[in-house]
Amino acid sequence: MGEQPIFTTRAHVFQIDPNTKKNWVPASKQAVTVSYFYDSTRNSYRVISVDGSKVIINSTITPNMTFTKTSQKFGQWADSRANTVFGLGFASEQQLTKFAEKFQEVKEAAKLARDRSQEKMETSSNHSQESGRETPSSNQASSINGTDDEKISHVGPVDPLLKSENERLRMAVEQGNANARKLETELQTLKDSNARLVEALQESTTNMEAWKQQLAESKEEGDQLRAKIAELEAQCKEADEEKERNAKLVAQVESLEADLQEKEQELKNLRKQAEIIPKLMEECESITEKLKIAEAKSKDLEEQMGTLQAEIEESHRKQAQLKAELKKFTDILDGKLDELHEFRQGLSKLGMDN
């Protein structure tokens, strides 16, 4: 039947950085298909994933491999033949669990196939040894009971068979030794990879704690800035109230100016009456006194108007100063919020990487 898929899922594929051996490098831009394949002719299992026309995973499962869950949705395994570590990020914990269970099942099947192959090699070796022990006795019987021609007919075909069998056994032993050395190399490589991964995990944990501390400090600073903004808003509210009072004062000044104009017009009328009617001198004196009083009030009103104008200008100056300070603190808050957003993105990225 050849090689056939036996399990398929979808995940984001990552590979360990070959330079640092610590950071994860995305091998796919999006979730791709990841499948287990079984080769019936070779009795072997592989994990294969293709992104477009590019093969990003081609890992033959061996009994020495181990699939490790590093988080609720992320798992990894080391492939010494490919000299890398593959990582898979799943959409749910259930998909990760199914993939891990299938990995363990395939690994057990690969181990069983290897054991059967070794048993078959041992059986063939024992059979060859037994054939080697039986051959001298049959040759001896032929030499005792038969003629020289019979001895040639019995002994001749056996020697090439033994030689070919011994050659095959020798090659099998050499292949077994080579496989053993290769497995030892893979085991050592896997141990080194695991040590590097443990070191990377410890460093990631340290970085995570530092980022958490920075995030807490940023939050605290953001709270302080929010309190300062609330204080500035209260000051702005006071400035608005002051502006409203100034508007009322301006209205009062305008009303006083209108009254002053009326008084001035009344004064003019009185002066005309004083000029026209000399007989009303006494009334004129009275009116003159009123005029003096009105002029004094006018002077007082002018002084009040000057004072109110100065207060208005001072209020405008304070309001402009408060607006400048509010803009300054708003700019600082925007910068801190941008830094907080960058910290959150870094923290999210690290979570995904893990």
Side-chain angles (χ1 to χ4, degrees):
M1 295 295 293
E3 199 170 23
Q4 297 292 331
I6 58 175
F7 180 83
T8 300
T9 186
R10 292 183 65 83
H12 291 271
V13 180
F14 299 85
Q15 289 187 9
I16 203 72
D17 190 344
N19 296 323
T20 62
K21 298 296 184 180
K22 294 180 180 180
N23 300 325
W24 288 107
V25 178
S28 61
K29 296 181 180 179
Q30 57 186 359
V32 295
T33 301
V34 182
S35 302
Y36 286 97
F37 279 81
Y38 172 64
D39 190 347
S40 58
T41 58
R42 297 182 180 179
N43 200 16
S44 63
Y45 297 85
R46 290 195 299 168
V47 178
I48 296 177
S49 179
V50 179
D51 186 7
S53 60
K54 180 182 178 183
V55 178
I56 55 179
I57 298 180
N58 185 6
S59 177
T60 301
I61 305 300
T62 64
N64 296 325
M65 289 184 176
T66 301
F67 185 81
T68 305
K69 296 180 181 179
T70 58
S71 66
Q72 292 183 348
K73 298 181 182 180
F74 192 86
Q76 65 186 43
W77 79 95
D79 189 341
S80 58
R81 294 181 180 178
N83 193 24
T84 187
V85 179
F86 294 103
L88 296 179
F90 295 89
S92 64
E93 184 178 1
Q94 183 179 6
Q95 292 180 354
L96 173 61
T97 302
K98 289 183 179 180
F99 187 89
E101 292 175 352
K102 196 64 179 180
F103 194 98
Q104 183 66 25
E105 179 183 341
V106 168
K107 187 177 78 169
E108 294 295 333
K111 182 179 179 181
L112 181 60
R114 185 189 66 180
D115 294 341
R116 288 179 179 176
S117 178
Q118 290 179 352
E119 290 177 359
K120 186 176 181 181
M121 290 175 61
E122 291 176 358
T123 304
S124 299
S125 177
N126 293 333
H127 179 70
S128 300
Q129 291 176 1
E130 290 176 359
S131 300
R133 287 195 299 268
E134 291 175 357
T135 301
S137 60
S138 29
N139 288 341
Q140 184 178 3
S142 299
S143 61
I144 294 174
N145 297 323
T147 62
D148 294 337
D149 294 335
E150 290 175 348
K151 288 189 287 183
I152 294 172
S153 64
H154 283 83
V155 176
V158 174
D159 289 338
L161 180 61
L162 287 175
K163 288 181 180 180
S164 63
E165 186 68 21
N166 289 334
E167 183 66 22
R168 188 180 65 81
L169 289 174
R170 184 181 64 80
M171 292 177 64
V173 170
E174 290 178 354
Q175 183 66 29
N177 292 333
N179 290 335
R181 289 192 296 271
K182 189 174 182 180
L183 290 175
E184 290 177 357
T185 303
E186 291 179 355
L187 180 60
Q188 186 62 36
T189 303
L190 183 60
K191 289 180 179 179
D192 295 340
S193 299
N194 288 336
R196 289 194 295 269
L197 289 174
V198 170
E199 183 180 355
L201 181 60
Q202 292 176 353
E203 183 176 355
S204 299
T205 303
T206 304
N207 293 334
M208 180 74 72
E209 294 298 330
W211 288 339
K212 285 181 179 179
Q213 184 178 0
Q214 291 179 0
L215 181 61
E217 293 176 354
S218 298
K219 287 182 178 179
E220 183 178 358
E221 189 173 359
D223 293 338
Q224 293 176 357
L225 289 173
R226 289 190 184 94
K228 188 65 176 178
I229 289 175
E231 182 179 354
L232 291 174
E233 288 178 349
Q235 293 178 0
C236 289
K237 186 177 180 180
E238 293 178 357
D240 293 336
E241 293 176 354
E242 184 70 19
K243 185 178 180 181
E244 185 177 355
R245 286 196 297 269
N246 292 336
K248 291 180 179 179
L249 290 175
V250 170
Q252 290 178 2
V253 169
E254 292 176 352
S255 176
L256 290 174
E257 289 178 349
D259 292 340
L260 180 60
Q261 290 178 358
E262 290 179 359
K263 295 298 181 180
E264 289 177 351
Q265 185 66 35
E266 184 179 355
L267 180 60
K268 289 179 180 179
N269 294 332
L270 290 174
R271 284 176 178 176
K272 288 179 180 180
Q273 290 178 5
E275 293 176 354
I276 296 171
I277 309 174
K279 295 179 181 181
L280 301 176
M281 293 298 296
E282 294 178 358
E283 294 180 3
C284 286
E285 291 177 358
S286 177
I287 291 173
T288 302
E289 291 295 329
K290 292 180 180 180
L291 180 62
K292 291 179 180 179
I293 294 171
E295 288 177 352
K297 288 183 178 180
S298 176
K299 186 180 291 185
D300 292 335
L301 289 174
E302 287 179 355
E303 291 177 357
Q304 290 179 6
M305 185 175 66
T307 302
L308 290 174
Q309 188 67 30
E311 289 179 357
I312 290 172
E313 291 176 357
E314 180 65 18
S315 177
H316 285 322
R317 186 184 64 80
K318 287 183 179 180
Q319 185 176 4
Q321 184 178 0
L322 287 175
K323 286 183 178 179
E325 187 176 0
L326 177 60
K327 185 177 184 302
K328 179 180 177 181
F329 279 100
T330 303
D331 294 338
I332 294 174
L333 178 61
D334 291 338
K336 294 299 181 180
L337 290 176
D338 291 339
E339 292 178 3
L340 179 61
H341 182 64
E342 291 175 0
F343 279 126
R344 287 180 176 173
Q345 287 182 345
L347 184 61
S348 177
K349 183 178 180 182
L350 180 61
M352 183 176 291
D353 289 343
N354 286 335

